[in-house]
Amino acid sequence: MDPESQHARLLFLDILSLPRAQSCDAILLSGGLDTSIAAEAMLTMTPNKETSQLRKGITVTVDPSENELASKNGLFTQKPEDVDYATAIAQKLKLNHHILRPTLDELLNGKMMELCVRVLRTFEGMELRNAVVIATALSYAKSIGCKRVCTGDGADELFAGYSFMHGMDDARLRESTENMARTMKFCAFPLAKEIGIEVWSPYLEPDVIAYAVSERGNTRQMKVGEYDGEVHGKLVLRKAFPEVVSASRTKAAIEYGSGSTVLGALTELIFSDAEFEAGAREALERHDVVVRTKEHLAYFRTFRKVVLEDKKVLSTVPRYQKGPEADGVCCPDCKFRLRDNGSTNYCDVCGLYPVIKSK
């Protein structure tokens, strides 16, 4: 093992030996590299592995055959892969593996979607397709008595896990990583707080963030390169832990690995064009909100119910007010205040990007 990979390995083994790591009694086991390292290191590699409380792995997967509309129209072009990788990890570590199989209808219209929309104050599709999977897992963890759940949050942002980062040169990758380190946020934390359970990620520990943005750790050579015959991000993590099950697995977003990604295509089949046009017109006329797609409309209806029509919740989401009282930078599509006064050029509420700012 090369010196840099050895350095990273020792850093993570130190982090995963901390009491707050050892007290995690469950892990959101997507089967990706990040949770593979966390679970396998905590139970087989750390000096105090015998004291780890980790006993349960929780995986969410959608059964492609359970929804007739989705199956009939070929929405599932491939089987969700998370469950296979996660099962291999759980069997290797002898974890109690809890595989949750919610229906697409439950994910789209159920209590977990309402929870996500209310807590995250959003009706943006990509955020919700991923968040509803996490909320489902965390809620289940709470129901079976888990107290602290480990996640893999932060690894992609800090170690170039996203494919769009792979083509960046060294200077741009450094800048992108530093920006992500300042602005990254993860839905697992507010969702867990609402559910009444703790979450923890080794990748968000201060020492890991410091390493990821340091002169030593923040280079393209460290983060992007060929591994096992393919170009991957998170290269240093793969080389530091070559023995883990998912060392060679390509990055897959939660929505793809679990299968929840088909929710967007499903809404295209659920709503007719006329229903969409009527719903979008109503959203604009009654709420001054631009609804852009049929999936957007599905989530907006939930947003309307649990945010716009709940004065207590709505009061916590700053919205643009016309007239002399107007302040802050707002989204032109949904009229809600942009985070960090618009510095990210992205609307967390409706997902508009890039935002043409107005006051």
Side-chain angles (χ1 to χ4, degrees):
M1 186 176 292
D2 65 84
E4 285 304 325
S5 299
Q6 182 67 21
H7 174 80
R9 183 182 180 93
L10 293 176
L11 170 63
F12 276 96
L13 290 181
D14 283 345
I15 295 297
L16 291 164
S17 299
L18 295 170
R20 51 186 172 273
Q22 294 290 302
S23 63
C24 290
D25 49 8
I27 186 166
L28 298 191
L29 196 59
S30 68
L33 175 68
D34 316 329
T35 53
S36 183
I37 289 173
E40 295 186 50
M42 276 196 281
L43 289 174
T44 68
M45 304 175 202
T46 59
N48 54 348
K49 54 184 178 290
E50 292 82 6
T51 66
S52 174
Q53 300 300 305
L54 186 60
R55 298 291 182 272
K56 301 177 180 71
I58 302 172
T59 304
V60 178
T61 189
V62 176
D63 182 354
S65 64
E66 64 79 24
N67 187 284
E68 183 178 354
L69 189 60
S71 297
K72 182 180 178 181
N73 288 274
L75 298 191
F76 284 92
T77 56
Q78 63 182 39
K79 177 186 175 183
E81 292 185 341
D82 277 4
V83 67
D84 293 336
Y85 282 95
T87 297
I89 296 166
Q91 290 176 346
K92 178 180 179 180
L93 301 176
K94 296 181 172 57
L95 286 173
N96 295 321
H97 193 198
H98 300 258
I99 302 174
L100 312 183
R101 302 182 187 275
T103 67
L104 287 172
D105 184 64
E106 287 170 339
L107 292 179
L108 185 62
N109 301 307
K111 292 182 179 179
M112 290 301 100
M113 181 60 77
E114 287 194 2
L115 173 75
C116 290
V117 171
R118 177 170 55 81
V119 171
L120 302 177
R121 313 291 201 259
T122 187
F123 55 101
E124 193 277 312
M126 184 171 67
E127 173 82 5
L128 291 172
R129 290 192 299 271
N130 289 280
V132 72
V133 173
I134 294 171
T136 299
L138 290 175
S139 181
Y140 179 79
K142 171 72 172 180
S143 75
I144 60 173
C146 298
K147 304 298 184 185
R148 173 174 287 184
V149 181
C150 180
T151 75
D153 288 331
D156 291 315
E157 288 75 9
L158 295 172
F159 294 96
Y162 297 114
S163 59
F164 72 85
M165 303 174 81
H166 298 176
M168 295 179 178
D169 61 24
D170 196 71
R172 190 177 173 204
L173 184 59
R174 284 178 182 272
E175 181 182 1
S176 179
T177 303
E178 290 168 359
N179 181 60
M180 285 194 176
R182 288 192 300 270
T183 62
M184 60 185 178
K185 61 187 184 75
F186 303 96
C187 67
F189 293 88
L191 290 172
K193 182 177 180 180
E194 182 72 13
I195 290 167
I197 196 169
E198 291 184 36
V199 291
W200 176 83
S201 171
Y203 305 98
L204 298 179
E205 284 290 314
D207 286 350
V208 173
I209 295 175
Y211 171 63
V213 299
S214 69
E215 195 71 24
R216 176 179 188 172
N218 194 12
T219 68
R220 191 179 192 282
Q221 183 180 1
M222 289 280 290
K223 297 179 179 180
V224 181
E226 186 172 313
Y227 186 87
D228 199 21
E230 294 185 28
V231 174
H232 292 281
K234 299 182 283 194
L235 181 63
V236 68
L237 300 182
R238 299 176 193 275
K239 293 168 69 175
F241 294 94
E243 69 269 51
V244 302
V245 167
S246 300
S248 300
R249 187 184 178 189
T250 300
K251 157 71 181 172
I254 292 170
E255 63 174 289
Y256 291 105
S258 68
S260 66
T261 189
V262 302
L263 289 175
L266 184 63
T267 60
E268 292 292 326
L269 300 173
I270 291 173
F271 293 111
S272 68
D273 290 346
E275 287 174 319
F276 168 69
E277 290 170 6
R281 185 167 54 251
E282 179 189 38
L284 185 61
E285 292 175 353
R286 291 189 58 191
H287 302 285
D288 201 15
V289 169
V290 175
V291 171
R292 298 185 290 273
T293 66
K294 292 178 181 179
E295 183 183 24
H296 218 207
L297 176 61
Y299 301 141
F300 174 74
R301 287 181 171 178
T302 302
F303 184 84
R304 181 182 63 195
K305 173 184 175 182
V306 301
V307 177
L308 294 181
E309 294 177 356
D310 187 322
K311 292 183 179 180
K312 183 177 180 181
V313 176
L314 183 60
S315 68
T316 68
V317 192
R319 196 174 193 204
Y320 179 80
Q321 300 295 325
K322 295 180 179 179
E325 298 82 13
D327 64 346
V329 179
C330 84
C331 171
D333 274 17
C334 70
K335 316 305 184 295
F336 282 92
R337 189 83 54 81
L338 298 174
R339 181 162 58 102
D340 299 328
N341 208 33
S343 64
T344 61
N345 206 28
Y346 170 75
C347 177
D348 290 342
V349 178
C350 75
L352 182 64
Y353 179 85
V355 172
I356 300 173
K357 301 167 188 174
S358 63
K359 285 194 175 185

